[in-house]
Amino acid sequence: MSVDLLLDLQVEVRRLFIAGSSLAEGDIRLSKLLPSLQKAGEAAPVFKRLADTTEGLIQAPRAESALKLLELATLLSAVLHTQGKTDVAGDTQPVSSAGLSLPTEVTFRRLHPLLEALTTKGSGRLEQIRQAYEDRSFLDLRALPALCSALDDVYSEIPEFIQLKILSEFGQAAVPLLQSQLNLQGGKGDARRLQLLHLLQGESALELVQEAGASGAPELKIAAIELLSGYEGQEGFLLEQSREKRKEVREAAYYALARLASIPCQDRLFEAVASKDAELVIYPIRKCSALTLHKRIIAHAEEQLDRYSASEGKPREAALQQLHTDLRCLNSHAHELAEIAFPMLGRLMATDEFMTADAGVVQDTAAELLLALESEPSDRFAIGLHSAYKGKFIGYSFRAAFRQLSPAELFDRYADAIKGRSASAKLLQQAIQQIVHEQLAGSDERAEAVPEEAWDRRWVKALAGQDLTDLVCAFAHQNDRDVTSYLVSKLKDGSRVNDYRTQNVLLTLFRVGFKEAPELFMGLLENKTSRSFYYIDWRMKQLFASMPKAYAPRLRVFAEALAYESVKNELLEIVEALEAMPDDQAGESGKGVWQWIKNKMY
């Protein structure tokens, strides 16, 4: 029986279904197939029936062609479905299931996007994997092999997500596959497999972890060192690894030793501080909870200060470099070490020989550490550096004073120092900016101004006098004539409304209740040079929402004229909320409007 002949007939039947059964009468292509069907019918009755049905379709009038075509298609489909073979030659063999008992209830159509994301390359794969994680479709036997293999994916975020979020949820079911794929001489993917095996098996995987630490490739050795730091009896191995040739292995060993924090571990870390591995050991020491180690480093730093003062040339440079390393090690536990560290730092900052140009970086490190002590004696000492060494440390002095002095005392002590363009004035300005940034960033909501009670009111005019516009905006709380005049002067002809500083000034004028703020903003919007909006950030949205309701028609005209549809729609949404606002909340100043609209929109 010729399957090819049946397939040719199927093509023609499909063609007629598309073209219309009325074209079947006298069809040339069907007529060419008819002799072959009739010849095949001499050997097989079913082919004879197909030949007769085909002939009937060719000869049928148009009124009956649809019925005849359907009859031929049904018969042909039935014959084709009986011609395939599903058996495979050879003997049957058992299939190893690795003892897995996972469900396969997810439809393949739903599972397929995940499998494709795991086994192909290209963009958008991580999003697809995250979607499978959210809808729980990944918990399927068919997905597990691909997930384990994807730990080798070159796009680092994918194996990281699979390791941290997905494979751990398979529990013990993932162990056999992870074990079968693990190669102790492999790379990052195999290191992830080792970590997962330890996570899923716990101490049962200790022997495997030890083997990876002893003879594995660098990536697996590093992973093993990290895991072994949580077990007793591994101290000797970790100490040995801290002297390994590979830099990355030594660094991992230092972190492990810092976690163990035994006396031999502390000795090795202290030894490394004064070795070629000084840079490698700084951050591990910061993580070490043993204060005895940090106290030794403080004593070591004092020795280096003595060496620095008593030597010249290269020995002096070496002492300075070592002192810098010692100070950097102390940062994380500064507050706990304040009582011991303060005398050393106070002596250092009061040593004239130390105040040289070549020690500038070390001086800054020492001053930062002095502030990190967070004790009253250290802060008072830092305040005393206000004018020392030509104001070199005035920024640190100000930050300490901010913690210890009242707002009025702070202003009285430092206000004059901010004037001018001297180096010390710039350092003071930077210190103020740093504190302001921390205050604004630490707010639960998007803050626009510093806490009013934290600063003396006189600061805002002093900052305006130095033309520090951003700081003036952050300090302005009231509708003061001098301050608002200064801010309005910043809105010069040619100011672009989508410029950050322009928006900041306008927001400040709205916040303090300046009556002309809406018209100033509207004038900038209607300026032809300010109509290029590719996107809008929260500042522009807040400016729109801060406008009085009476400006809604003009705002709508502006928004409707924008070229970018997405920007237009965002602004129109705010305009519509503004139009819907109750009249009793729509004051002409626009004050308070933003909060009402924000609640309505979000």
Side-chain angles (χ1 to χ4, degrees), residues 398 402 407-408 410 431-433 435-436 439 450-459 475 477:
F398 183 85
F402 185 79
L410 185 73
I432 296 175
Q433 288 171 342
I435 294 174
V436 169
Q439 289 180 329
V450 297
E452 190 170 5
E453 68 280 0
W455 296 86
D456 191 283
R457 291 183 179 181
R458 293 172 289 176
W459 275 113
F475 278 76
H477 289 280

Side-chain angles (χ1 to χ4, degrees), residues 246-257:
R246 297 181 182 88
K247 174 182 174 182
E248 60 272 20
V249 175
R250 296 200 306 277
E251 184 175 16
Y254 290 137
Y255 276 106
L257 293 174

Side-chain angles (χ1 to χ4, degrees), residues 457-465 467-469 471-491 505 508-509 511-512 514:
R457 291 183 179 181
R458 293 172 289 176
W459 275 113
V460 65
K461 290 186 179 181
L463 295 168
D467 198 23
L468 301 172
T469 307
L471 287 177
V472 173
C473 290
F475 278 76
H477 289 280
Q478 298 177 339
N479 188 4
D480 181 274
R481 180 182 298 177
D482 293 336
V483 176
T484 54
S485 295
Y486 166 77
L487 292 174
V488 170
S489 71
K490 296 289 136 181
L491 302 176
V505 168
T508 304
L509 291 172
R511 188 180 69 247
V512 301
F514 184 59

